[in-house]
Amino acid sequence: MLILCTSSMRFIGILHQNQRRYAEAIKSFEKAIYFRPSMALAYVNLGTSLMADGRLAEATSALRAGARADGIRVRDRREHDAARVSALVQLAALHSRRGHWHKALSSYKEALQILPVTNSPIVGWTRHNVLTMAGDIYIQLQQWALAEHSVLSALALAPGHAATYLSLAQIVARNTSRNMEAESWFKKAITLAPDDPAVRDQFGMFLRSQRRLRESAEQLVTAARLSPTDSARAASAARALRDARKCRSAERWYARAVELNPDEAEHHSNLGAILHLNGKYVAAASSYRRALQLQPNDQVTITNLKRVRTLMSNQRKK
């Protein structure tokens, strides 16, 4: 009868939570915990609702209690351990939001102590997941050797994850003497996820840092093609093409950025600049004017418009 009561309270709480009625959800989860104080999952539910309600300090306490719940007389030990891992991962996320990196790392380390040493999941969580997230925290702490070790450990467990290779490449690339190794990891990520624009973005920026501008442009153009509605990626592709001295192609991508987001002043200003560079002064002036309608006091655009008007005036005098 006690278990039924606890389950009923949790079920009602989840219904309220799904309806974003967090105050009612919190009360239901608190009742469930009252009846079963050793049930980790109820604390996770409570912490989730408290976070959604903006009560972060209370959420931290609830999640910490969930991580420590002993699970006396639990029917399913794996489910209980999974709930404890969930509590710790959410706790780490809360600490990360506040910039408390060491506390976040401590939570991930606790989660790793619960997870099996293999990559067998326990209700959604794997050792690979947590090692990867811990690696991100080491990066925030600029502890590069530990970050690399954590990511390599994650790869040993699950070698088919492109995002993990991408993380490793970014860590290794910090040491310019290891650029060839970093490039090999970027290429491995591309092999595993050829249609992921984020992988192309990062590889493109890596190539740019080495002044391999044409290769960088190829990657960033591919990223833009893989995200045909993303104006920011279109603009990045255009900028890379301009730097690679492919100004006609850059013009097409800046025009695409304007088409995708016509209310962004910077896109119009950049299109004006490349048209200006390509000798299309009338079209450049039109783009500059539109940019100034959207952002009237931009001094760079004002200066560029004056320059293109001077060029147009000189052309008419000839």
Side-chain angles (χ1 to χ4, degrees), residues 168-186:
L168 182 59
Q170 291 168 318
I171 293 165
V172 171
R174 292 189 58 81
N175 184 342
T176 56
S177 69
R178 300 175 70 186
N179 277 342
M180 289 183 64
E181 182 186 350
E183 185 169 344
S184 72
W185 295 127
F186 277 118

Side-chain angles (χ1 to χ4, degrees), residues 80-94:
H80 177 74
D81 285 345
R84 291 177 64 210
V85 171
S86 291
L88 287 162
V89 169
Q90 289 195 51
L91 190 58
L94 265 177

Side-chain angles (χ1 to χ4, degrees), residues 179-199:
N179 277 342
M180 289 183 64
E181 182 186 350
E183 185 169 344
S184 72
W185 295 127
F186 277 118
K187 288 179 176 177
K188 179 66 174 178
I190 287 173
T191 299
L192 290 168
D195 297 330
D196 185 343
V199 177

Side-chain angles (χ1 to χ4, degrees), residues 36-40 66 68-77 80 84:
R36 285 278 299 280
S38 63
M39 184 178 174
R68 291 173 175 165
D70 55 27
I72 295 172
R73 293 189 298 276
V74 295
R75 290 182 176 179
D76 189 333
R77 173 55 61 174
H80 177 74
R84 291 177 64 210

Side-chain angles (χ1 to χ4, degrees), residues 54-75:
R55 295 158 62 177
L56 301 186
E58 293 170 81
T60 299
S61 297
L63 292 169
R64 172 51 62 193
R68 291 173 175 165
D70 55 27
I72 295 172
R73 293 189 298 276
V74 295
R75 290 182 176 179

Side-chain angles (χ1 to χ4, degrees), residues 216-258:
S216 173
E218 288 173 7
Q219 294 299 323
L220 293 170
V221 166
T222 300
R225 285 177 175 153
L226 290 167
S227 304
T229 61
D230 189 328
S231 68
R233 282 201 168 101
S236 292
R239 187 161 48 251
L241 287 162
R242 182 193 63 199
D243 292 344
R245 300 183 183 277
K246 294 187 174 185
C247 294
R248 300 295 176 187
S249 296
E251 179 185 321
R252 289 194 293 273
W253 279 103
Y254 276 130
R256 178 63 177 159
V258 166

